Amino acid sequence: MEKKKIAVIPGDGIGKEVVPAALKVLEVASHLDEDLQFDFTEFPWGSEFYLKTGEMMPKDGLETLRDFDAVFLGAVGDPERVPDHISLWGLLIQIRRGFQQTINLRPARYFQGLDSPLKNPNGFDIVVVRENSEGEYSDSGGRIHHGEDEIVIQNAIFTRKRTESVMRYAFQLAEKRRKSVTSATKSNGLVHSMPFWDEVFAEVSEDFTHINKKKIHIDALAAMFVTNPESFDVVVASNLFGDILTDIGGAIMGSIGMAPSANINVTGEYPSMFEPVHGSAPDIAGKNRANPIGQIWTAKMMLDHFGKQALGEKVLQAIENVTKQGCKTPDIGGSCSTTEVTDEICRNLQNLI
C-alpha cells in the first residue's frame, strides 16, 4: 500500500472548515483505492499563530515540511488583525518559493447545476498554467525619498529558464487535453518583458508542431474569457496575468469558492502544495456556509499529482453530481451548509465505485 504523508495547514477563516471537509473526501477516496493511504499531520500556522508568536510559521517551517509528499493548504489572511503583505509573504509565498513551486495550475470549467453569470457558458473547460516564482510579483525594487519626491520602483523579473519551463509544461499538458495552447501577452505595451515572453513562446512551440497555438493580449484575453471561454484549452501566463485570468475563471464558474489550484515543484525535489483560490472569507467563517468545493477540487488535483487520475476524476464527477442535484452553498445559489455539501459529495463518491 502506498502511504502519502500530507502536511495539512488549515490556516485562517473558512480554511478551518473547508480543509476538514476535503480531508473527509480524501479519506473516502483512499478507502476506494486499496493501494492508497494518507497520513495527515496538521500544523496550526497562520494569522492566529502570528499574533501569538510574531511569525506566520516557525523559522524551521520549511525544514519541517520538506519530508512530506505534499502540503495541503486552506486559506491565509486576517486583514483586520494582520496586514496582507505579512500573512501572504510569511507563509504562502515563503512555501512556494522555498520549495521552488514554479508552476501554478488553476482550472476552470462549467458544472451542470450551477448558474454561471454567462448567458451561454457552452461547457467551457480551461486550465491556466501560471508562472509562479518571478515575473511581476518579483520582490525586486524599493522606495526612496519622501513626500512629493518619493519614488517607488517595482521590477518585473523574467528569466529564460522559468519562462521556458512554464511554457513547456503548458504544451505537455495540452498534449493530454485538447491540444491547444494560448499565450497571454502584452507585447504592444510592455516593451521588454513581453516581447521576450513572445520570443520564448515561439521557440518552445517549434518542439510541439502538433499543438495549436496562439498569443492574445491580456486585455483582449480577459474579455474573451467572458465572451467566448469555450474556445480555450490551456492558457500559459505570467504571474500577474495568470492571477487575473484565474479570478475571472472562478467568476464565470459562478463563485471564486469553486476554484482550486496546485503549486507544482516540477523536479520532485520538494513537495508541491495544493490550495483553493478563494481567501479566508472572515465574514462567513464559523457559520457552516463556506463552499467546500474549491478545497475538494484541490484535493482532486493532489490525487492527480500522485498519479491517481482515475480516482480524481471520480471525485470531480461526485462534485458535479451534487451540483446537478441542487445541493449547493449560498454563494452558488443554494441553501445547503458546508457539512451537507461535503456529506453529499462523499455519498456520491462511494456510489461511483
Side-chain angles (χ1 to χ4, degrees):
M1 177 176 287
E2 186 177 6
K3 178 177 283 190
K4 295 296 185 183
K5 293 173 56 182
I6 310 298
V8 178
I9 308 175
D12 303 317
I14 63 170
K16 297 176 182 178
E17 299 169 71
V18 297
V19 165
L23 296 185
K24 187 174 182 179
V25 174
L26 282 172
E27 288 285 9
V28 172
S30 68
H31 294 154
L32 303 176
D33 186 327
E34 60 183 16
D35 296 323
L36 179 64
Q37 184 178 351
F38 291 109
D39 181 8
F40 299 118
T41 302
E42 185 171 321
F43 297 93
W45 303 340
S47 295
E48 288 187 8
F49 188 82
Y50 174 83
L51 292 170
K52 293 176 182 176
T53 67
E55 300 173 315
M56 290 294 292
M57 69 176 180
K59 288 182 174 59
D60 63 351
L62 291 181
E63 183 180 344
T64 299
L65 296 176
R66 183 168 181 171
D67 291 334
F68 286 86
D69 295 302
V71 179
F72 196 59
L73 177 67
V76 179
D78 188 347
E80 293 295 321
R81 300 191 295 169
V82 180
D84 283 340
H85 70 279
I86 291 177
S87 60
L88 183 66
W89 285 83
L91 182 60
L92 177 62
I93 300 299
Q94 192 173 160
I95 295 172
R96 283 182 181 174
R97 299 195 174 180
F99 287 159
Q100 299 177 24
Q101 295 167 351
T102 57
I103 303 293
N104 183 235
L105 295 179
R106 294 189 177 185
R109 69 187 289 272
Y110 174 69
F111 283 86
Q112 295 183 58
L114 290 192
D115 292 327
S116 168
L118 301 182
K119 183 178 181 181
N120 296 305
N122 293 327
F124 65 86
D125 183 357
I126 308 166
V127 176
V128 176
V129 182
R130 169 190 175 198
E131 201 292 314
N132 204 35
S133 62
E134 51 184 37
E136 304 89 348
Y137 289 175
S138 166
D139 58 359
S140 175
R143 300 170 69 157
I144 59 173
H145 307 317
H146 302 283
E148 66 179 12
D149 293 324
E150 187 170 16
I151 299 173
V152 178
I153 298 173
Q154 179 75 48
N155 295 319
I157 306 296
F158 288 80
T159 64
R160 177 169 289 273
K161 179 179 181 180
R162 296 304 183 207
T163 302
E164 181 174 336
S165 174
V166 72
M167 290 175 177
R168 288 196 178 277
Y169 194 101
F171 276 101
Q172 290 164 358
L173 179 60
E175 287 181 315
K176 304 172 186 176
R177 288 174 50 91
R178 302 194 306 277
K179 297 181 170 51
S180 175
V181 176
T182 301
S183 171
T185 185
K186 192 56 181 172
S187 50
N188 62 344
L190 301 175
V191 298
H192 298 299
S193 60
M194 285 295 111
F196 167 76
W197 178 275
D198 291 350
E199 290 165 13
V200 177
F201 184 72
E203 292 171 9
V204 172
S205 67
E206 292 177 1
D207 294 335
F208 298 90
T209 55
H210 56 295
I211 302 292
N212 295 320
K213 58 187 180 294
K214 55 188 172 183
K215 61 179 182 179
I216 302 177
H217 290 144
I218 183 60
D219 43 351
L221 184 53
M224 293 173 71
F225 260 44
V226 175
T227 60
N228 198 26
E230 72 277 7
S231 66
F232 298 106
D233 178 21
V234 176
V235 177
V236 63
S238 66
N239 215 330
L240 174 62
F241 291 174
D243 201 4
I244 293 169
L245 289 173
T246 52
D247 275 12
I248 298 174
I252 62 176
M253 282 194 288
S255 170
I256 197 72
M258 297 287 297
S261 76
N263 302 281
I264 304 298
N265 172 264
V266 295
T267 67
E269 181 179 0
Y270 302 104
S272 295
M273 178 168 63
F274 301 84
E275 50 159 338
V277 175
H278 64 69
S280 59
D283 57 320
I284 61 169
K287 297 180 180 179
N288 202 21
R289 294 178 54 197
N291 188 343
I293 290 178
Q295 191 81 51
I296 294 170
W297 192 355
T298 296
K300 179 266 184 196
M301 296 182 75
M302 187 167 69
L303 290 172
D304 292 344
H305 181 69
F306 291 147
K308 300 292 183 179
Q309 290 88 353
L311 187 57
E313 285 303 310
K314 287 184 170 62
V315 171
L316 200 59
Q317 182 60 60
I319 292 171
E320 188 160 39
N321 286 348
V322 170
T323 60
K324 283 193 296 185
Q325 293 165 8
C327 184
K328 301 177 290 188
T329 46
D331 63 307
I332 49 175
S335 59
C336 290
S337 67
T338 306
T339 303
E340 289 170 334
V341 172
T342 304
D343 289 345
E344 278 300 299
I345 290 173
C346 289
R347 186 182 65 80
N348 271 269
L349 180 57
Q350 289 172 323
N351 290 340
L352 284 173
I353 304 301

